[in-house]
Amino acid sequence: MSMFDLSERAEEYRTRLLEFMDSHVYPAEAVYDEQMRAAGDPHYQPPILEQLKEQARERGLWNLFHPYPEWGPGLTNLEYAPLAEIMGRSHIAPEVFNCNAPDTGNMEVFTLFGTDEHKQKYLKPLLEGTIRSAFAMTEPAVASSDATNIELSMVRDGDDYVLNGRKWFASNALHPHCAVLIVMGKTDPEAAPHRQQSMMVVPIDAPGVTVLRGLPVFGYQDREGHAEIDFDNVRVPAKDVLAGEGEGFAISQARLGPGRIHHCMRAIGMAERALELMCRRANARTTFGKPVSANANIQDWIAEARIDIEMIRLLTLKTAYLMDTVGNKHARTEIAAIKVAAPQIALQIVDRAIQVYGGAGVTDDFPLAMAWAHLRTLRLADGPDEVHKRTIARQELRKYRDDATAKKP
Ligand SMILES: Cc1cc2nc3c(=O)[nH]c(=O)nc-3n(C[C@H](O)[C@H](O)[C@H](O)COP(=O)(O)OP(=O)(O)OC[C@H]3O[C@@H](n4cnc5c(N)ncnc54)[C@H](O)[C@@H]3O)c2cc1C
């Protein structure tokens, strides 16, 4: 078997997933839109989604992301990559298969660092898809791309910690099923920079937690919501500190590796769908006596899209392979590289597809405008491009560190 072959089980899931997308998910997109429009509430959970979840679960197309066999099929990152790509083709699909961010990352955190009580109370219903969760790290008052700046205060008081501060961009916190937040804050301002923060499990209805608003993204109120949340004297029992005081930074590193590459896998799916739509539309519409697809510049965009997709897919697969074989930590340069490349390239392809669609491209009659908005946010969410480039550049420079100090004859 070559490295380009899918394993037998991944191939089997891929076939079933493709079939389910064609028979159930794509036809449901219009129903979803209709139900959302009729509800008039951007954070409504439309019945079609719950139906699709049930059907996907019955077929075992469920928790495919989860690396631990007791909780799902236990696929490797390399095996999951082509499946996540397929899910990325439709904005409703990831939740249908219980593979959506940020729940996937939170489920991994609960699996790795949760107590038995956390597993029972939160992990189990998350795996069953009956509750949702949010991850609250970013704060409006500090530059949060440097996680050492995070300053929501967590002060020990008897058997509890008392939390005070403000978070924003907590995705999923406006989902009607959201039950729990994983909150990062500062427990010890005197400790070493990477030991000051801790993570705590906080029920969303804990006294003192107020969801203030959903932040619009390019004017969209995403269904799961990106919430600004106030914490006012929120009491959290010490048993709900994940992995112990001072471990917040380490947990966030563990959490963000898989989450980042999952975003990239889905971005490739979005790019593939945009390329498909671009080709169909360019063939179907005629201007100045010939199909739009007959123009050299349009063919150039199409060719470049194919080349670029193949390149980011290869880097995604290499990164997934490294995560499986040498671990997330040793794959961090590749994770950073693909986290920069995939959203940027997918964004350009979607942008060109929008151009080929003309005015229709920026409406919500087609999935391109929303895909563009989502991909643009991916250049910020889970770390801005510049911060990932910093990681890569530092790694490169380290190779030649000794040169600078070496005495040249
Ligand atoms: C749609 C969306 C969903 C999100 N979901 C979540 C979530 O669920 N939970 C959560 O906690 N957060 C979430 N975030 C927040 C996201 O992770 C942060 O916005 C991101 O980490 C950047 O932090 P910041 O906004 O504080 O920007 P800042 O830290 O203020 O940085 C601003 C800019 O400074 C520049 N910059 C920073 N460092 C460097 C450097 N070393 N070199 C050069 N330039 C630099 C970059 O261009 C960067 O964009 C989400 C964001 C979006 C847009």
Side-chain angles (χ1 to χ4, degrees):
M1 197 169 108
S2 90
M3 69 168 283
F4 297 107
D5 290 323
L6 278 182
S7 73
E8 212 174 296
R9 61 180 182 163
E11 186 63 61
E12 196 249 335
Y13 275 114
R14 185 171 170 273
T15 306
R16 289 204 285 130
L17 198 56
L18 283 170
E19 191 276 323
F20 190 82
M21 291 289 290
D22 284 339
S23 59
H24 290 74
V25 178
Y26 299 127
E29 285 178 343
V31 182
Y32 172 95
D33 288 345
E34 193 43 51
Q35 291 185 352
M36 290 303 289
R37 247 192 300 271
D41 168 8
H43 308 301
Y44 175 68
Q45 182 73 352
I48 184 74
L49 254 190
E50 292 300 317
Q51 271 168 30
L52 289 169
K53 278 165 65 179
E54 211 174 298
Q55 289 160 332
R57 200 174 168 190
E58 270 166 19
R59 287 165 175 74
L61 297 171
W62 195 251
N63 293 335
L64 301 178
F65 76 94
H66 209 295
Y68 301 96
E70 59 186 301
W71 305 112
L75 301 175
T76 62
N77 286 298
L78 191 59
E79 288 174 317
Y80 179 57
L83 310 180
E85 180 183 323
I86 295 166
M87 295 176 202
R89 293 175 59 96
S90 170
H91 73 101
I92 65 172
E95 186 172 342
V96 167
F97 304 107
N98 214 36
C99 289
N100 58 292
D103 292 307
T104 51
N106 293 341
M107 286 188 250
E108 286 201 58
V109 168
F110 281 125
T111 304
L112 293 172
F113 307 105
T115 61
D116 286 347
E117 189 192 339
H118 295 144
K119 288 183 180 153
Q120 211 46 41
K121 209 163 156 187
Y122 301 119
L123 178 59
K124 201 162 163 279
L126 278 168
L127 287 160
E128 287 165 353
T130 52
I131 66 164
R132 301 287 80 179
S133 61
F135 182 69
M137 181 162 85
T138 304
E139 298 179 4
V142 296
S144 304
S145 54
D146 176 354
T148 60
N149 287 334
I150 298 303
E151 63 183 18
L152 175 136
S153 80
M154 297 174 148
V155 177
R156 182 89 194 214
D157 182 31
D159 289 340
D160 295 340
Y161 285 84
V162 180
L163 277 50
N164 279 291
R166 179 73 60 99
K167 294 287 178 185
W168 72 347
F169 283 107
S171 302
N172 234 13
L174 288 141
H175 194 298
H177 301 169
C178 186
V180 64
L181 310 169
I182 296 178
V183 182
M184 175 130 152
K186 195 166 272 194
T187 33
D188 184 0
E190 307 303 323
H194 295 98
R195 300 281 315 161
Q196 294 182 2
Q197 274 92 8
S198 302
M199 271 191 209
M200 300 189 187
V201 179
V202 184
I204 197 163
D205 57 2
V209 174
T210 310
V211 176
L212 298 167
R213 59 172 176 150
L215 299 162
V217 171
F218 294 114
Y220 289 102
Q221 276 291 347
D222 289 342
R223 190 172 50 83
E224 72 278 20
H226 309 289
E228 180 164 359
I229 307 180
D230 188 56
F231 293 77
D232 179 19
N233 285 319
V234 179
R235 296 195 81 87
V236 179
K239 65 179 172 52
D240 290 333
V241 180
L242 286 166
E245 225 192 90
E247 294 296 327
F249 208 85
I251 300 173
S252 73
Q253 293 305 303
R255 184 189 180 284
L256 290 175
R260 283 171 181 157
I261 195 168
H262 294 170
H263 279 311
C264 297
M265 295 165 180
R266 288 188 292 263
I268 296 169
M270 254 179 243
E272 279 285 9
R273 188 159 185 202
L275 173 57
E276 178 187 323
L277 291 170
M278 173 157 58
C279 291
R280 288 185 192 281
R281 184 79 169 190
N283 278 336
R285 307 270 281 198
T286 300
T287 58
F288 308 106
K290 58 182 181 181
V292 170
S293 62
N295 293 294
N297 72 312
I298 305 290
Q299 292 189 8
D300 190 63
W301 291 351
I302 289 168
E304 284 196 350
R306 172 51 60 214
I307 295 166
D308 287 344
I309 288 174
E310 296 299 325
M311 291 198 294
I312 53 174
R313 183 182 288 120
L314 274 179
L315 182 53
T316 302
L317 293 176
K318 179 188 172 189
T319 307
Y321 171 78
L322 287 174
M323 290 168 77
D324 292 334
T325 50
V326 296
N328 300 349
K329 196 170 166 209
H330 293 289
R332 69 176 182 276
T333 315
E334 285 78 9
I335 294 172
I338 194 60
K339 177 61 178 57
V340 175
Q344 278 192 18
I345 285 174
L347 188 64
Q348 187 184 49
I349 294 170
V350 170
D351 192 77
R352 286 175 169 176
I354 288 174
Q355 194 67 15
V356 168
Y357 263 71
V362 297
T363 69
D364 60 4
D365 284 5
F366 300 94
L368 295 167
M370 189 189 273
W372 191 94
H374 175 70
L375 286 165
R376 184 63 187 82
T377 70
L378 270 192
R379 293 191 53 203
L380 297 159
D382 282 359
D385 291 353
E386 294 74 19
V387 173
H388 294 301
K389 286 184 176 171
R390 174 178 176 270
T391 303
I392 301 165
R394 279 158 58 104
Q395 192 63 24
E396 288 299 317
L397 288 166
R398 192 166 294 141
K399 296 178 191 167
Y400 309 104
R401 194 168 41 192
D402 292 343
D403 287 7
T405 51
K407 286 201 171 68
K408 295 266 157 33

